[in-house]
C-alpha cells in the first residue's frame, strides 16, 4: 500500500507530494511543525500539541491555517488513509508561497503538509539498556521555545552524536548548563530522587512529553524541580534520561566518557518508562 500525504488541501501519494520552490519553508525555514505519536490509530495528546502549534504560529506572526477541529480531521484522515496503528504524524505549517523576499508577504495563505509513517518509537534495547549522549555547545538562536523547522544546529548536534556512536547530543549553554537534546528534553534524577529538568523559557522547547511526564510523576508523588543543571551535575547524577514524542522516556547511562551511576537504567527512570507507556496506551480518541 502506498503512503499518502496531505499537501495544501489534497491527499496525494507520498512520492508525488511536493511544495512550491518559493514556499517560504523551503526558502527561509519560515515555518513550524509538530510531531505526534500514533497509538492504536489515535493521536496522543492532541490538545497540548495544538496549543504549542498555535503558540509557535503566533510568535512568528504566521496565520493559523484552520481551526483546530479542521486540522484534527486532516491529521486523523492521514492516519486512516495510511492504515497506521502505531507510528508518528508530522505536521508542518509555513508562512506560504511568495516571491523570495525577507519581509512577510501580504495576503499569503499558510502552507500545510501532513505526513505519517510507521516507527518513531524507542527501541526496547534502548529502553532496557539505556543510551549514551554526548555534549555539544548550544549554538542555537534565542527562541528555542518556538518549534521552528529551522533546525540546522540541531541536525549538526545530532550528526555529531551519530559520529560518536551516541544516541543524542545534549546542548550546553555558555554557563555550562544543559539546555536540552538535539530533539528531546534532558532530565536527571538527583540524590533525593527528585526529577530535575530545565525550566521553560526561550532556551528550550516545551516538550509535550516533558509536560505530560511532569504531571504523571507529580501524580505519583515524585517531585519535579525545574532548574538548570550542569554537565558535571548530570555526570554525577543518580539517573538521567531524555523525553520526546519519538524517544518517550529513554534512559541515559553515559554522558561523554562518563558512565552514570552503575551504567544501568535506574529505578525511577524505569518507573517513568512504565508510567509514560501506560499513558500512551490509554490515549483517548480526540477526533472532533
Ligand atoms: N523533537 N526539544 C527539541 C529540540 C525537540 O526537537 C523535541 C522534539 C523535544 C521534545 O518535544 P516533544 O516531547 O513534544 O516531542 C524537545 C521531535 C520529536 C522531532 O523533531 O522529531
Amino acid at each position: 500500500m502506498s503512503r499518502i500525504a496531505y499537501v495544501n488541501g489534497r491527499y496525494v501519494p507520498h512520492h508525488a507530494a511536493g511544495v512550491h520552490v518559493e514556499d517560504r519553508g523551503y526558502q527561509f525555514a519560515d515555518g513550524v511543525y509538530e510531531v505526534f505519536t500514533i497509538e492504536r490509530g489515535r493521536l496522543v495528546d492532541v490538545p497540548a500539541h495544538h496549543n504549542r502549534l498555535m503558540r509557535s504560529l503566533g510568535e512568528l506572526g504566521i496565520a493559523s491555517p484552520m481551526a483546530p477541529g479542521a486540522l484534527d480531521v486532516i491529521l486523523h484522515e492521514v492516519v486512516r488513509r495510511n492504515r497506521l496503528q502505531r507510528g508518528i504524524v508530522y505536521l508542518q505549517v509555513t508562512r506560504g508561497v511568495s516571491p523570495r523576499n525577507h519581509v512577510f508577504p501580504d495576503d499569503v495563505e499558510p502552507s500545510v503538509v501532513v505526513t505519517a509513517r510507521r516507527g518513531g518509537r524507542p527501541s526496547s534495547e534502548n529502553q532496557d539498556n539505556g543510551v549514551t549522549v554526548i555534549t555539544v555547545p548550544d549554538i542555537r538562536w534565542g527562541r528555542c521555545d518556538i518549534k521552528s523547522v529551522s533546525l540546522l544546529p540541531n541536525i549538526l548536534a545530532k550528526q555529531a552524536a551519530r559520529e560518536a556512536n551516541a544516541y543524542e547530543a545534549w546542548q550546553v549553554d555558555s554557563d555550562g548548563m544543559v539546555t536540552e537534546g538535539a530533539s528531546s528534553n534532558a532530565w536527571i534524577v538527583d540524590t533525593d530522587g527528585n526529577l530535575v529538568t530545565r525550566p521553560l523559557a526561550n532556551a528550550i522547547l516545551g516538550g509535550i512529553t516533558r509536560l505530560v511526564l511532569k504531571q504523571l510523576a507529580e501524580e505519583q508523588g515524585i517531585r519535579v524541580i525545574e532548574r538548570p543543571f550542569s554537565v558535571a551535575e548530570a555526570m554525577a547524577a543518580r539517573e538521567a534520561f531524555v523525553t520526546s514524542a519519538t524517544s518517550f522516556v529513554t534512559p541515559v547511562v553515559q554522558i561523554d566518557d562518563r558512565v552514570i551511576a552503575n551504567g544501568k537504567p535506574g529505578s525511577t527512570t524505569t518507573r517513568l518508562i512504565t508510567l509514560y507507556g501506560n499513558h500512551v496506551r490509554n490515549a483517548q480518541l480526540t477526533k472532533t
Side-chain angles (χ1 to χ4, degrees), residues 9 13 15 23 34 55 68 70 86-87 136-137 143 151 156 167 182 185 196 198 203 207 209 220 244 249 274:
H15 62 83
D23 191 287
E34 286 294 327
R55 181 174 180 280
R86 284 181 146 205
V136 298
R143 292 303 308 273
L151 289 171
L156 293 176
Y167 177 78
N185 289 113
V196 180
R198 183 136 180 155
T209 321
Q220 295 295 313
S244 78
V249 176
T274 305

Side-chain angles (χ1 to χ4, degrees), residues 33 35 52 147 154 180-185 205 207-209 244-245:
Y33 74 104
V35 178
R52 184 171 66 184
K147 198 162 171 64
N154 307 59
E180 62 182 332
S183 63
S184 59
N185 289 113
L205 181 75
I208 304 305
T209 321
S244 78

Side-chain angles (χ1 to χ4, degrees), residues 12-284:
V12 290
H14 191 267
H15 62 83
V19 292
H20 195 279
V21 287
E22 287 207 298
D23 191 287
R24 289 176 65 94
Y26 180 67
Q27 294 284 350
F28 295 118
D30 186 3
V32 303
Y33 74 104
E34 286 294 327
V35 178
F36 301 77
T37 300
I38 311 165
E39 172 73 13
R40 286 180 293 131
R42 299 166 184 187
L43 294 154
V44 179
D45 296 321
V46 173
H49 282 281
H50 275 317
N51 290 343
R52 184 171 66 184
L53 174 69
M54 292 308 153
R55 181 174 180 280
S56 295
L57 290 170
E59 292 297 308
L60 296 177
I62 298 176
S64 169
M66 60 191 86
L71 207 48
D72 269 4
V73 170
I74 293 167
L75 294 168
H76 283 96
E77 186 60 16
V78 170
V79 173
R80 195 187 67 77
R81 289 188 186 222
N82 287 282
R83 299 202 196 130
L84 282 174
Q85 287 299 307
R86 284 181 146 205
I88 53 168
V89 169
Y90 179 85
L91 163 68
Q92 178 167 313
V93 181
T94 75
R95 198 178 304 276
V97 177
S98 182
R100 190 176 185 281
N101 181 347
H102 287 62
V103 294
F104 296 178
D106 295 326
D107 300 329
V108 72
E109 292 269 316
S111 298
V112 181
V113 168
V114 181
T115 56
R117 68 169 172 86
R118 279 173 224 292
R121 298 266 165 162
S123 69
S124 47
E125 192 196 329
N126 284 348
Q127 285 202 314
D128 291 349
N129 303 328
V131 298
T132 297
V133 302
I134 59 164
T135 57
V136 298
D138 192 337
I139 59 168
R140 298 175 301 161
W141 72 324
R143 292 303 308 273
C144 299
D145 56 312
I146 298 171
K147 198 162 171 64
S148 157
V149 295
S150 176
L151 289 171
L152 262 182
N154 307 59
I155 64 172
L156 293 176
K158 201 68 150 195
Q159 182 63 21
R162 164 65 60 88
E163 288 170 14
N165 286 322
Y167 177 78
E168 177 61 300
W170 277 8
Q171 301 170 100
V172 181
D173 70 16
S174 54
D175 297 323
M177 304 303 228
V178 174
T179 52
E180 62 182 332
S183 63
S184 59
N185 289 113
W187 303 67
I188 57 172
V189 180
D190 72 12
T191 44
D192 298 322
N194 303 315
L195 308 186
V196 180
T197 195
R198 183 136 180 155
L200 294 181
N202 294 358
I204 65 162
L205 181 75
I208 304 305
T209 321
R210 176 192 180 284
L211 173 79
V212 169
L213 191 73
K214 179 175 182 289
Q215 288 165 359
L216 294 174
E218 286 173 344
E219 279 165 23
Q220 295 295 313
I222 303 171
R223 195 163 159 225
V224 179
I225 303 172
E226 294 179 84
R227 65 162 174 83
F229 60 84
S230 67
V231 175
E233 185 181 0
M235 286 174 166
R238 203 152 101 177
E239 303 176 30
F241 61 92
V242 297
T243 56
S244 78
T246 49
S247 296
F248 291 11
V249 176
T250 293
V252 171
V253 293
Q254 186 173 332
I255 302 172
D256 292 331
D257 293 331
R258 186 69 179 266
V259 172
I260 311 296
N262 65 357
K264 296 199 170 68
S267 57
T268 303
T269 308
T270 305
R271 198 172 155 201
L272 296 172
I273 289 172
T274 305
L275 271 181
Y276 189 74
N278 290 342
H279 169 78
V280 169
R281 269 187 295 282
N282 294 333
Q284 293 303 303

